[in-house]
Amino acid sequence: MTQDHGFDTLAIHAGAAADPATGARQVPIYQTTAYAFRDAEHAARLFNLQEVGFIYSRLTNPTVAALQSRIAALEGGAGAVCCSSGHAAQIMALFSLMEPGRNIVASTRLYGGTITQFSHTIRRFGWSARFVDIDDADALRAAIDGDTRAIFCESIGNPGGHVTDISAVAAVADAAGIPLIVDNTLATPYLCRPIEMGATLVVHSLTKYMTGNGTVTGGVVVDSGRFDWSASDKFPSLSAPEPAYHGLKFHETFGALAFTFHGIAIGLRDLGMTMNPQGAHYTLMGIETLALRMERHVANAQMVAEWLQADPRVDGVTYAGLKTSPSNATAQRCYPKGAGALFTFAIKGGYAAAVKLVDALQLFSHVANLGDARSLVIHSASTTHRQLTEDQQRAAGAGPEVVRLSIGIEDPDDLIADLDQALAKATA
Ligand SMILES: *Cc1c(COP(=O)(O)O)cnc(C)c1O
């Protein structure tokens, strides 16, 4: 399988030839912890990273390896490391770049859990994050200092579906000689390929659209293979001798695969945030239909957003695919296949009406998730953003009257009918 094949072909075939041992055509779940060595010499070569192979499933597993190859192909990357969740993948992305005292510059418009991870939890490792408006290149440049080791943003961002101009952010990262990490969860490689726009690393929560049916918790880091880790002394994990491997230098030894090998040989080995083979199998199944699903997600989101915007009971819709959105020009230029399927709208009648609407919806499930085949709804002010003041909620795009929708792939007429009856009850 080569990267010359089209996206839809890679989504089905990349990483997944017929099983060499049995001929099994679908990727088997290799439910095994360990792998027999051919002899002592083979074992020694594997442990020295002189030969690539399977040792122990905390590091590598054939089912997980198939998924890694498939996602690397879809994103146009050199390699990928799967992790136990999207949040684990974010720590994995930072792990090879950071040391105590270093910082990242991150977008203010991120998944709520990521804001928490970056504001509080990473401080325990001596890392920190500075949050800036990702559309403001001057603010980005001003936030970068000698200790900054990456810029982090989402392609399409939570909760309002904000669309980021990745090329513009990549230009700032390039000028500063630091990598750009893009969380591509909401766009998926079907709508956006951040590496083509200059990103160094791409992270995903595979929990969402990539698996696509709410059955798996997983994550991945994809490396473009293009960053020169040895151009400065900023990234010693990748450029300097590694004491745990007899002084091996990852970048010098593995070139474009330096980050991938470091992620597996040091990251998974010592942090243990490994994806399990069953989860990887389900995600492989999900990715087979990624293009078809994303096409429908986007078409449905556009129809529902247009219908809501025209409804007098609604006070505004954030979807960047709407002609009236201030982000529509960026969406058309950077996301020509669509602006995703997640957006918020404001209901007339404030907090009370929003809560009634969520309770009255029947097809939409009230859950803290997104990117499922079924349509989902959440009222952030009473759930995920409950601990914030009203001012903070508004700043996060989650004011009391705001409802977030993740549009699924059902019949759009049924989704609109459900919203219609629920809006009637909520605003009666
Ligand atoms: C869900 C999500 C995450 C976290 O992923 P988990 O798999 O839940 O750990 C990170 N970023 C975005 C954009 C998400 O939607």
Side-chain angles (χ1 to χ4, degrees), residues 68-425:
Q68 288 169 166
S69 302
R70 183 166 301 176
I71 298 172
L74 292 177
E75 287 285 7
V81 184
C82 281
C83 298
S84 51
S85 71
H87 270 4
Q90 291 170 191
I91 295 296
M92 174 65 88
L94 297 181
F95 174 68
S96 302
L97 315 182
M98 303 289 274
E99 294 169 291
R102 308 305 185 206
N103 67 70
I104 57 169
V105 172
S107 168
T108 48
R109 298 192 195 82
L110 296 176
Y111 178 73
T114 304
I115 302 249
T116 307
Q117 186 186 54
F118 288 174
S119 310
H120 302 290
T121 305
I122 64 169
R123 290 187 170 276
R124 301 189 174 214
F125 308 141
W127 312 341
S128 61
R130 301 150 172 205
F131 296 97
V132 300
D133 177 356
I134 202 72
D135 293 338
D136 183 345
D138 289 333
L140 261 181
R141 274 188 287 270
I144 295 170
D145 68 14
D147 284 324
T148 304
R149 292 295 176 268
I151 298 177
F152 187 102
C153 68
E154 293 178 3
S155 46
I156 299 181
N158 244 303
H162 170 268
V163 285
T164 304
D165 181 345
I166 294 171
S167 307
V169 181
V172 176
D174 279 351
I178 55 175
L180 168 63
I181 308 172
V182 176
D183 181 339
N184 201 28
T185 300
L186 264 56
T188 81
Y190 178 75
L191 297 177
C192 173
R193 307 221 310 160
I195 289 171
E196 285 173 0
M197 302 172 178
T200 305
L201 302 176
V202 176
V203 297
H204 278 278
S205 168
L206 300 175
T207 314
K208 314 292 171 51
Y209 294 102
M210 293 289 265
T211 304
N213 50 30
T215 52
V216 168
T217 304
V220 70
V221 189
V222 184
D223 178 24
S224 62
R226 296 212 199 118
F227 195 85
D228 182 357
W229 306 109
S230 307
S232 72
D233 57 5
K234 287 183 174 172
F235 304 100
S237 295
L238 297 164
S239 63
E242 169 58 49
Y245 279 102
H246 313 301
L248 173 138
K249 295 181 185 171
F250 276 88
H251 190 212
E252 187 182 282
T253 309
F254 299 112
L257 285 170
F259 180 93
T260 303
F261 271 84
H262 189 266
I264 293 170
I266 310 283
L268 291 182
R269 187 194 65 180
D270 295 346
L271 302 177
M273 43 172 68
T274 308
M275 189 176 199
N276 69 75
Q278 253 190 41
H281 178 82
Y282 292 142
T283 302
L284 281 163
M285 300 303 97
I287 290 175
E288 291 188 349
T289 57
L290 180 66
L292 295 173
R293 286 186 290 107
M294 291 312 291
E295 230 174 80
R296 177 65 87 87
H297 276 295
V298 166
N300 280 3
Q302 186 74 33
M303 277 182 76
V304 172
E306 283 174 9
W307 181 84
L308 281 169
Q309 191 186 35
D311 194 289
R313 298 164 292 189
V314 170
D315 233 355
V317 182
T318 61
Y319 191 51
L322 291 171
K323 293 261 178 306
T324 50
S325 162
S327 306
N328 190 248
T330 307
Q332 297 216 5
R333 183 163 45 87
C334 305
Y335 303 83
K337 285 175 152 175
L342 188 87
F343 59 84
T344 64
F345 72 96
I347 183 170
K348 286 185 182 150
Y351 187 97
V355 170
K356 266 193 219 154
L357 176 98
V358 168
D359 282 342
L361 283 167
Q362 288 167 359
L363 265 182
F364 283 79
S365 306
H366 183 201
V367 301
N369 191 17
L370 57 93
D372 194 315
R374 67 215 85 240
S375 291
L376 313 175
V377 62
I378 195 154
H379 178 234
S380 305
S382 62
T383 56
T384 51
H385 291 62
R386 193 179 181 86
Q387 310 306 331
L388 305 186
T389 64
E390 190 173 321
D391 279 351
Q392 287 175 316
Q393 288 173 349
R394 288 193 187 286
E401 67 290 343
V402 172
V403 176
R404 188 187 80 183
L405 300 180
S406 170
I407 302 296
I409 58 175
E410 301 98 330
D411 286 307
D413 292 346
D414 292 334
L415 299 178
I416 288 171
D418 193 30
L419 284 163
D420 192 25
Q421 65 80 22
L423 276 167
K425 287 188 186 130

